[in-house]
Amino acid sequence: MSALFGGLWFAGSFSLSGNGAPGDEQEKLTAEEAGANEGREQPPAWEVVFKGMKFTLPQKGKVYLHGSGCMNIRQDEQYLIQINIEEDTVDEMWARMEQKKESLMKAGYRMEKEAEYSGEEEYEYVRYVISLEKERGSEYERTYSEVILAPADEGRHMLVVIPYDGTDMEKLDETLREKLYEEAFARAKGIWEGADPTDELDDEVGTLWMEDQNLDPEHQYISEDILVYGDGQHSLSYRLPEHCMLTADNITGKTYFDEDHQAYIQTNVVKYTWMTARDMAESAADRNLSRPLASGEVTVSGRTFYYYTYSVLEYGKTKTSSVYQFYGYCDLEDGSIYSIRGYADDNPQAADEAYYLEWMNISVL
């Protein structure tokens, strides 16, 4: 992100007319997110520490710390929000706009919205929109991106880029395009205005936060489930403890949330030709585990599961907690391996093999 946009800012004016001021869109988004989170017991926010700034983000969509040095925030299918933190203030960047505009034009970009500088203390930012024809990897003839410079901590600014990668902007009329600009800007503005400098350690590159969604809101709790594997040719079933709900079903398997124990459990079947279930469990000895707790085997309905458990101490600003983790593996008849992973904050039961007996009591269909 920085390599592409890091020095390519330019001057001009940016019209904000047509669909209300950014504050109107931000108030609307804030109200929507508050309503969506109403009734939840846990605070509906993620705390992400990135390059010396702490961001408080709604538990919506996905947040990923990319190896290129930017934070990717996906809360809407129509656009992505990317944030980096760079040297120099917004005023210093604005002073170099004209020469940066020339660099941008030479790189093949077209100006869709000329840059505007808002010097008011409450709304200080630089903002503009650019587009590029036939951008590599895009399915659209022309891709649009909004670029914003906003204050960070002393002497630094936030580089915010909003690629409209899920929208064919060329097919939108001016009214719809302006509406989308204002919605995305309001969401990004809420993110950078809620960030504060911090002395806490940055979260690791590659960290991913994902929204857990109930896949069946009308029948929240399920008592049993079926896991299909082997390209749909095989399946197995198991029962679940009370008050479990399915939160994810994808390539990594099925993930459940046990409300009674505040634990997450993931089941999956993988094909291994060079490792057995025992091998996978014993390979834990080669892993850099924080606090190994136990390892062993347990037999349930004639099937042997090999497991290991450990805990990780997580330090927060106001609380230090232990995350307990369990990994269990079982060989299936066709050479596949059925795996169980469980984890929970401050709940040692999540590292007890007895807690997983119902997930271990499988029937191959």
Side-chain angles (χ1 to χ4, degrees):
M1 183 173 84
S2 298
L4 182 59
F5 296 107
L8 305 180
W9 318 121
F10 55 94
S13 62
F14 190 122
S15 172
L16 298 179
S17 62
N19 289 283
D24 298 333
E25 287 296 331
Q26 190 165 350
E27 288 177 6
K28 185 190 304 181
L29 287 170
T30 301
E32 289 175 357
E33 287 166 355
N37 290 310
E38 186 177 358
R40 292 189 182 182
E41 295 181 2
Q42 298 182 352
W46 292 311
E47 289 188 341
V48 181
V49 180
F50 175 66
K51 295 190 175 181
M53 301 289 293
K54 175 177 279 190
F55 294 82
T56 302
L57 304 169
Q59 293 182 3
K60 180 178 177 64
K62 299 179 181 179
V63 179
Y64 180 64
L65 299 186
H66 198 273
S68 64
C70 66
M71 176 168 59
N72 288 355
I73 304 169
R74 173 76 72 182
Q75 297 180 354
D76 192 289
E77 293 182 356
Q78 298 181 90
Y79 55 85
L80 176 70
I81 298 175
Q82 298 177 299
I83 297 179
N84 197 6
I85 300 172
E86 301 185 339
E87 298 300 323
D88 294 332
T89 66
V90 174
D91 286 340
E92 290 169 334
M93 296 297 293
W94 176 253
R96 303 196 294 267
M97 290 297 114
E98 284 296 339
Q99 67 189 64
K100 302 309 178 182
K101 175 180 177 178
E102 294 180 6
S103 298
L104 186 61
M105 299 292 291
K106 289 179 180 178
Y109 289 91
R110 186 176 79 186
M111 296 164 291
E112 301 296 337
K113 291 288 186 180
E114 297 284 347
E116 175 194 60
Y117 173 69
S118 173
E120 300 178 22
E121 183 176 351
E122 185 178 357
Y123 297 109
E124 183 183 18
Y125 56 80
V126 173
R127 178 187 182 193
Y128 62 90
V129 176
I130 56 178
S131 70
L132 182 65
E133 187 177 13
K134 296 180 180 179
E135 183 174 5
R136 186 175 62 182
S138 176
E139 61 182 292
Y140 306 123
E141 185 68 19
R142 180 171 288 274
T143 55
Y144 286 61
S145 296
E146 184 162 358
V147 183
I148 305 160
L149 303 179
D153 51 12
E154 185 175 354
R156 298 196 300 173
H157 69 277
M158 293 191 197
L159 167 61
V160 183
V161 179
I162 307 176
Y164 294 93
D165 55 354
T167 307
D168 190 348
M169 301 292 280
E170 295 278 279
K171 293 184 178 179
L172 299 183
D173 61 32
E174 185 176 355
T175 300
L176 291 176
R177 202 179 292 174
E178 288 287 341
K179 182 178 180 180
L180 187 56
Y181 288 152
E182 298 311 320
E183 176 190 317
F185 177 81
R187 192 181 295 278
K189 184 171 180 288
I191 293 171
W192 86 64
E193 286 190 336
D196 295 302
T198 181
D199 293 330
E200 295 181 37
L201 292 176
D202 287 356
D203 288 301
E204 293 184 6
V205 170
T207 303
L208 172 68
W209 292 262
M210 291 183 63
E211 178 183 14
D212 288 315
Q213 298 178 336
N214 179 15
L215 301 184
D216 190 359
E218 293 184 359
H219 302 88
Q220 188 172 15
Y221 303 123
I222 57 177
S223 60
E224 58 184 344
D225 205 359
I226 294 176
L227 191 62
V228 179
Y229 61 98
D231 297 324
Q233 299 179 9
H234 305 283
S235 62
L236 57 83
S237 67
Y238 43 79
R239 294 189 59 80
L240 305 171
E242 290 185 345
H243 304 145
C244 281
M245 66 185 77
L246 182 65
T247 62
D249 183 359
N250 51 43
I251 193 171
T252 63
K254 290 191 172 185
T255 303
Y256 307 90
F257 179 65
D258 181 347
E259 276 195 340
D260 291 342
H261 300 93
Q262 296 291 294
Y264 288 90
I265 301 89
Q266 184 182 83
T267 62
N268 197 13
V269 175
V270 290
K271 186 78 173 181
Y272 279 93
T273 57
W274 68 95
M275 294 181 72
T276 66
R278 183 194 292 271
D279 293 334
M280 294 186 69
E282 290 181 348
S283 68
D286 300 325
R287 302 172 187 237
N288 186 22
L289 302 179
S290 179
R291 292 179 56 201
L293 298 176
S295 62
E297 59 184 76
V298 58
T299 300
V300 180
S301 297
R303 296 183 182 274
T304 301
F305 285 79
Y306 304 90
Y307 67 88
Y308 65 90
T309 67
Y310 67 97
S311 65
V312 176
L313 199 61
E314 292 194 347
Y315 297 91
K317 186 174 183 180
T318 59
K319 178 186 176 183
T320 299
S321 62
S322 291
V323 179
Y324 292 87
Q325 307 214 29
F326 173 90
Y327 288 82
Y329 307 96
C330 173
D331 293 308
L332 300 178
E333 289 82 355
D334 66 341
S336 300
I337 295 178
Y338 171 56
S339 68
I340 303 170
R341 180 201 173 198
Y343 55 97
D345 290 347
D346 288 330
N347 181 7
Q349 184 174 351
D352 185 350
E353 76 279 3
Y355 172 66
Y356 300 94
L357 293 181
E358 291 187 82
W359 281 281
M360 295 179 182
N361 192 11
I362 61 175
S363 298
V364 177
L365 306 177

